[in-house]
Amino acid sequence: MFTGCAVFESREVVVTTIVTQPSEGTVKEAVTDFGLIGRVLVKADKHGFSGGVHWQHTDISDELLLFSPLGQTVAQIDRGPEGVYLITSEQKTYYASSVEDLTEDVLGWRLPLSGLQFWVLGTHFPFTMSEKDLDANGRTVAIRQDGWKITYLDYFSQPVPAYNILPRVLELSRVDLKLRLVIDNWKIKD
């Protein structure tokens, strides 16, 4: 016979919701250059993915590498002024003007890179309307934007110079897709 007592601690989250309208010329709200290393889990209607991610972002380009759980490159996504390229593990190259359309066509799920470059930093995409929930410390709890709900599940405890506290675990969801990103390492360039 097992006996025991469990005590559950309830935490109240004080939330303030801020509604933002689209604005021009505010792209500098986010840090322009960053790199991150982490893990990603994607659940889509008929497709999914689980593995590692390395992402290098600048204001004019992105390079994302998606890795299998064993470390093999599954896809390389390069975005630049000329468009987006995706190279598969079979060395097939695909091109499109939109990373969202390209990843949906080739991988079977949409990678919302336009918004994600801001969401991973805990802020909203400045060019469309958003609702942003903040906790009592001013950290982002959730963002609702462009049909996506971004939930911030954990933050790094140490501040990063030139930026404050950065997200460690976030979950993006919409009707047909759920994406969880766990960030193991940030590299922020001033």
Side-chain angles (χ1 to χ4, degrees), residues 49-181:
F49 174 77
S50 174
V53 61
H54 291 193
W55 182 7
Q56 292 294 319
H57 170 78
T58 69
D59 58 346
I60 60 167
S61 68
D62 286 286
E63 180 184 62
L64 280 101
L65 298 171
L66 298 175
F67 299 99
S68 74
L70 298 176
Q72 292 94 359
T73 302
V74 174
Q76 176 178 337
I77 302 167
D78 291 307
R79 179 195 63 86
E82 68 284 348
V84 183
Y85 293 90
L86 189 149
I87 303 169
T88 66
S89 58
E90 295 86 23
Q91 297 303 306
K92 291 185 180 179
T93 302
Y94 300 88
Y95 171 81
S97 58
S98 153
V99 72
E100 290 83 2
D101 293 338
L102 183 61
T103 54
E104 186 168 38
D105 290 345
V106 178
L107 302 176
W109 47 273
R110 288 179 83 75
L111 179 66
L113 194 63
S114 297
L116 191 59
Q117 63 185 302
F118 294 91
W119 300 334
V120 295
L121 296 166
T123 191
H124 63 282
F125 178 62
F127 302 114
T128 61
M129 202 244 351
S130 70
E131 294 178 353
K132 186 158 107 174
D133 298 336
L134 305 175
D135 68 12
N137 296 321
R139 288 188 309 191
T140 305
V141 175
I143 296 174
R144 288 168 301 285
Q145 187 169 29
D146 299 329
W148 290 92
K149 180 178 182 185
I150 304 89
T151 306
Y152 296 84
L153 304 173
D154 195 18
Y155 279 84
F156 283 94
S157 58
Q158 297 294 323
V160 174
Y163 215 78
N164 203 356
I165 303 294
L166 289 169
R168 193 179 85 70
V169 180
L170 55 147
E171 192 170 87
L172 290 77
S173 58
R174 59 187 281 165
V175 174
D176 56 347
L177 178 64
K178 184 180 270 189
L179 188 148
R180 179 179 284 230
L181 178 62

